[in-house]
Amino acid sequence: MSDCRSEHSTAGELIIQNITKNFAGLRALDSVSLTLKRGEILGLIGPNGSGKTTLINVITGLLPLDGGRVLIGDVEITNKPPYEIARAGLGRTFQTIRLFRELTVMENVEVAAVSMGCSRKEAKRRALIAIEEMGLEDWVGRLASELPYGLERKVEIARAFAMQPSFLLLDEPAAGLNEEESDQLLDMLAPIPERKGLGLLIVDHDMRLIMRLCHRLHVLSYGKTIGEGTPDEVRRIPQVIEAYLGKTAVRG
Amino acid sequence: MKNTNAGILWLKSHTTPFILSIPLLILAVLVQAYGDTLLVRIVTVLFINLVMVLSLQVFMGNSGILNFAHIGFMGIGAYTSVLFSMTPQAKAATLPDLYPFLRPIHLPFLPSLLIGAIAAALVAALVGYALMRLSDAAAVITLFALLVIIHTILVHWSIVTNGPRTLFGVDNYTSLGISTFFGILVIFIAYLFKETPVGLKLRASRDDRYAAASIGVNIVQVRWAGFVLSAFLAGFGGGLWAHFITSFSPYAFYLTETFSVLSMLVIGGTGSVSGAVLGTVVVTLLREGLRAVENSVNIAGVFPNNLVGFTEVVLSLLLILILVFRPSGLLGSQEIRLANTIPLASGKFSASELSRESSPKEGEHV
């Protein structure tokens, strides 16, 4: 039935140790450490320019890192090429949506399973599951370039699901969505990590979404960790309130 | 039972190569039966052009990298195949300094073609892996440099190419039937390649290479595979052309031919096999028509001087107009197919209906 069962299905935690990244003298990430367990949803928040996207980019190999290590279980993936990191079980989405515009929705999702070593047939089966999970059944034959914005996000997430990753990093999945769409996204995402044994890391500015969805939060400011813990713990940390949340979030 | 059903379903969703081949096959049969020598020659060239344009599409259309080196591989295929197919006497006449071990070799046509194609693929495989790391302008410039390098080698390696002079004495093996066979074969190969795992990954990397890498696509590897297949088919095209034209020099495999093949692909539409086929047919027929007009105008003496380059100017204008008004070509990236036979295109089928097609469990009930 499945000719490409993910080899990384027993992988341990995603471990990020003391990651440092400089951009021409600017320290974008300063010794950031975090751990993502499978089945948990971790929110990565912080003001604009605090290094959230940079962190995702160095973990996934898109940018070389200047110090620190990244491991999945005991497998070192530090500075490996992006495709090897993906095959080790780490998926991601992009802040600015990156779909394969001249491929159909089906092919967009299917290719993720194909690149994990599935045959076209098995890839189709996996893709259909991911497409149903994101509610995209009516769009399978359309070109990605014909989709409305809100659906593009869903296709990107479905594509990442089709990889069957152990860990998934979502970079602002709710950006540009209205409240209703954001609620929909919340309902779709919430049950998935536990069901799939997937570790989910979400970067977003939509605090309603983050506070309701995430089990734990990690807060960055100017490339440094300024707080971590459960949503309730984090919104009481004075530095976090000052740097990012503001007074209103404390009451909400 | 299950397998035949799956086969029929597969055929129904992949009608494109049949739709493209059947009219061409009919054309070839009609021309063979009723056409004069000139028409037979034109249609033979049409199918050789088809091999060249489709082989270019295999790499360029799926990877998105403009490939100027393509005609170089045609040249390698042409020269290599004739070295194996020519009689020892013909070789002695046209290539007096040929390496002794090559002199007595005399193979039939098809093995010679195959060796030419393999030679082109080997060269592509050797230089390709490094080249495929490049993208965008850097890749285009480097591939252009590769064309210049191949050309320079062909011009100067007199022992096997007769240098810049014409090599003659090649037997005319490429009949209309042979070129039709290979033209249609390559339509199927180019179409099926798009649907292979490598072809799908390559198309994904064309649309967004960062996203492709993030889902596990080894971009250098899939580009390399496409590049080698493309060169292999171009080598076939070169061998076919060499055994049609029977005498040629290295200048046949340079800028004029590069421009010609590129314009056919770009006018038709780089992204699809259908576009490549349409572009080849339109440009080949247009060119022959324009040439006939040019000749009759010259013979009738309409202008005081002979009209020179009329055909090229009109084709260049056509290319410019296409690039301005339809940058993705006449057909763009979509294949021609029978509209109601592809379940995935309508978007109206539910996922459960789709999975019935693809899941093995359901198939057993059929």
Side-chain angles (χ1 to χ4, degrees):
Chain A
M1 183 112 161
S2 58
D3 44 18
C4 49
R5 188 44 72 223
S6 20
E7 289 158 26
H8 39 78
S9 49
T10 54
E13 299 171 338
L14 174 66
I15 302 157
I16 289 147
Q17 289 176 345
N18 304 319
I19 278 188
T20 299
K21 174 71 193 170
N22 302 315
F23 288 121
L26 174 81
R27 179 144 288 198
L29 291 173
D30 192 354
S31 197
V32 174
S33 298
L34 63 86
T35 303
L36 180 60
K37 294 184 193 67
R38 300 191 63 173
E40 109 177 307
I41 306 180
L42 174 66
L44 180 64
I45 58 173
N48 283 325
S50 60
K52 305 181 299 290
T53 296
T54 306
L55 182 64
I56 291 186
N57 284 343
V58 294
I59 297 171
T60 54
L62 220 59
L63 292 172
L65 45 79
D66 298 317
R69 302 168 74 196
V70 186
L71 301 118
I72 293 181
D74 46 12
V75 180
E76 176 116 28
I77 57 167
T78 318
N79 279 335
K80 288 262 172 63
Y83 73 90
E84 279 187 28
I85 292 174
R87 288 178 193 177
L90 188 57
R92 70 167 294 180
T93 65
F94 294 85
Q95 195 173 354
T96 46
I97 298 168
R98 288 180 174 277
L99 291 180
F100 307 124
R101 300 187 61 78
E102 296 293 318
L103 304 190
T104 62
V105 168
M106 183 67 185
E107 286 174 322
N108 261 278
V109 180
E110 205 187 333
V111 69
V114 164
S115 72
M116 292 291 126
C118 297
S119 66
R120 286 294 300 263
K121 192 174 172 182
E122 169 65 13
K124 272 205 169 66
R125 199 187 62 82
R126 272 200 195 185
L128 279 166
I129 295 170
I131 281 170
E132 276 185 48
E133 272 169 346
M134 297 309 295
L136 293 163
E137 295 94 325
D138 291 341
W139 300 85
V140 277
R142 295 294 191 87
L143 289 186
S145 54
E146 300 169 350
L147 295 183
Y149 178 84
L151 292 178
E152 290 183 331
R153 284 279 175 215
K154 290 183 182 170
V155 174
E156 217 188 16
I157 295 170
R159 180 174 73 190
F161 282 161
M163 292 167 62
Q164 299 195 343
S166 307
F167 301 97
L168 179 55
L169 319 180
L170 301 179
D171 198 350
E172 300 202 15
L177 300 187
N178 62 34
E179 205 164 288
E180 193 192 326
E181 288 169 328
S182 157
D183 283 347
Q184 250 183 35
L185 188 72
L186 174 82
D187 292 339
M188 278 172 180
L189 290 179
I192 281 172
E194 210 182 321
R195 199 171 73 220
K196 290 180 190 269
L198 173 76
L200 195 61
L201 182 142
I202 294 188
V203 171
D204 215 291
H205 290 291
D206 183 342
M207 277 307 117
R208 251 168 36 93
L209 177 86
I210 289 286
M211 290 296 178
R212 286 158 68 193
L213 189 59
C214 298
H215 307 146
R216 282 196 304 132
L217 294 180
H218 191 105
V219 194
L220 289 181
S221 178
Y222 294 107
K224 285 196 174 78
T225 301
I226 58 168
E228 46 187 325
T230 64
D232 278 336
E233 287 164 10
V234 164
R235 66 174 130 198
R236 294 200 186 87
I237 300 172
Q239 293 98 311
V240 176
I241 296 167
E242 192 189 336
Y244 187 53
L245 293 179
K247 298 274 184 282
T248 48
V250 184
R251 288 193 300 270
Chain B
M1 188 65 191
K2 191 185 121 192
N3 280 336
T4 34
N5 250 306
I8 289 165
L9 269 174
W10 189 91
L11 282 181
K12 275 190 175 173
S13 53
H14 297 277
T15 47
T16 307
F18 298 96
I19 295 175
L20 294 172
S21 308
I22 290 166
L24 288 170
L25 198 59
I26 293 171
L27 173 74
V29 170
L30 287 179
V31 167
Q32 183 72 57
Y34 303 110
D36 59 6
T37 323
L38 179 65
L39 204 53
V40 169
R41 283 185 72 87
I42 290 172
V43 177
T44 308
V45 170
L46 171 72
F47 282 103
I48 298 174
N49 286 341
L50 206 55
V51 174
M52 291 313 302
V53 176
L54 284 166
S55 56
L56 180 62
Q57 197 276 335
V58 163
F59 177 69
M60 194 172 137
N62 296 315
S63 75
I65 297 172
L66 179 55
N67 180 7
F68 274 114
H70 194 63
I71 300 302
F73 296 112
M74 180 189 184
I76 294 172
Y79 276 101
T80 311
S81 64
V82 300
L83 281 177
F84 287 87
S85 75
M86 281 165 79
T87 61
Q89 296 85 335
K91 284 188 212 172
T94 192
L95 296 169
D97 303 324
L98 188 64
Y99 301 113
F101 74 94
L102 282 172
R103 281 180 204 157
I105 297 176
H106 182 208
L107 296 179
F109 175 49
L110 290 179
S112 306
L113 266 187
L114 186 62
I115 292 170
I118 290 170
L122 277 179
V123 174
L126 285 175
V127 298
Y129 214 83
L131 289 184
M132 293 306 114
R133 305 180 72 87
L134 303 173
S135 298
D136 306 327
V140 177
I141 293 166
T142 320
L143 286 165
F144 186 72
L146 180 59
L147 174 69
V148 176
I149 291 168
I150 294 174
H151 177 72
T152 308
I153 292 173
L154 291 179
V155 167
H156 291 278
W157 199 359
S158 307
I159 296 170
V160 290
T161 66
N162 203 19
R165 294 170 299 276
T166 300
L167 180 137
F168 52 88
V170 180
D171 289 306
N172 182 354
Y173 286 121
T174 305
S175 60
L176 177 57
I178 294 270
S179 74
T180 307
F181 172 77
F182 280 105
I184 287 175
L185 181 67
V186 176
I187 290 179
F188 278 84
I189 293 175
Y191 179 80
L192 291 176
F193 175 70
K194 282 179 72 173
E195 300 297 323
T196 60
V198 172
L200 182 62
K201 287 188 274 185
L202 190 57
R203 285 187 287 143
S205 79
R206 168 196 67 195
D207 287 356
D208 193 313
R209 59 178 186 269
Y210 298 106
S214 82
I215 55 165
V217 175
N218 182 346
I219 292 168
V220 177
Q221 196 181 57
V222 291
R223 279 183 182 167
W224 181 79
F227 189 63
V228 172
L229 176 64
S230 166
F232 179 79
L233 298 174
F236 256 106
L240 287 172
W241 187 81
H243 292 87
F244 168 74
I245 211 86
T246 68
S247 58
F248 52 88
S249 79
Y251 297 101
F253 311 106
Y254 208 35
L255 297 176
T256 313
E257 184 67 13
T258 299
F259 175 75
S260 162
V261 170
L262 271 175
S263 62
M264 289 180 197
L265 182 57
V266 171
I267 286 171
T270 318
S272 66
V273 174
S274 311
V277 172
L278 184 71
T280 311
V281 173
V282 167
V283 174
T284 306
L285 297 184
L286 199 60
R287 179 191 287 153
E288 294 306 326
L290 289 169
R291 228 174 246 162
V293 170
E294 192 174 319
N295 285 340
S296 43
V297 165
N298 285 341
I299 291 164
V302 176
F303 299 107
N305 299 318
N306 270 355
L307 198 59
V308 176
F310 173 68
T311 312
E312 284 72 17
V313 169
V314 173
L315 286 176
S316 308
L317 281 175
L318 178 64
L319 184 61
I320 291 169
L321 288 175
I322 290 280
L323 287 175
V324 171
F325 294 107
R326 269 190 91 90
S328 58
L330 291 172
L331 282 186
S333 68
Q334 292 312 294
E335 301 291 357
I336 300 174
R337 35 171 61 116
L338 293 179
N340 54 1
T341 53
I342 28 157
L344 291 184
S346 68
K348 283 178 190 152
F349 282 66
S350 72
S352 57
E353 271 177 89
L354 286 168
S355 57
R356 192 170 305 147
E357 241 192 82
S358 51
S359 97
K361 248 187 281 169
E362 296 279 344
E364 284 162 9
H365 302 302
V366 180

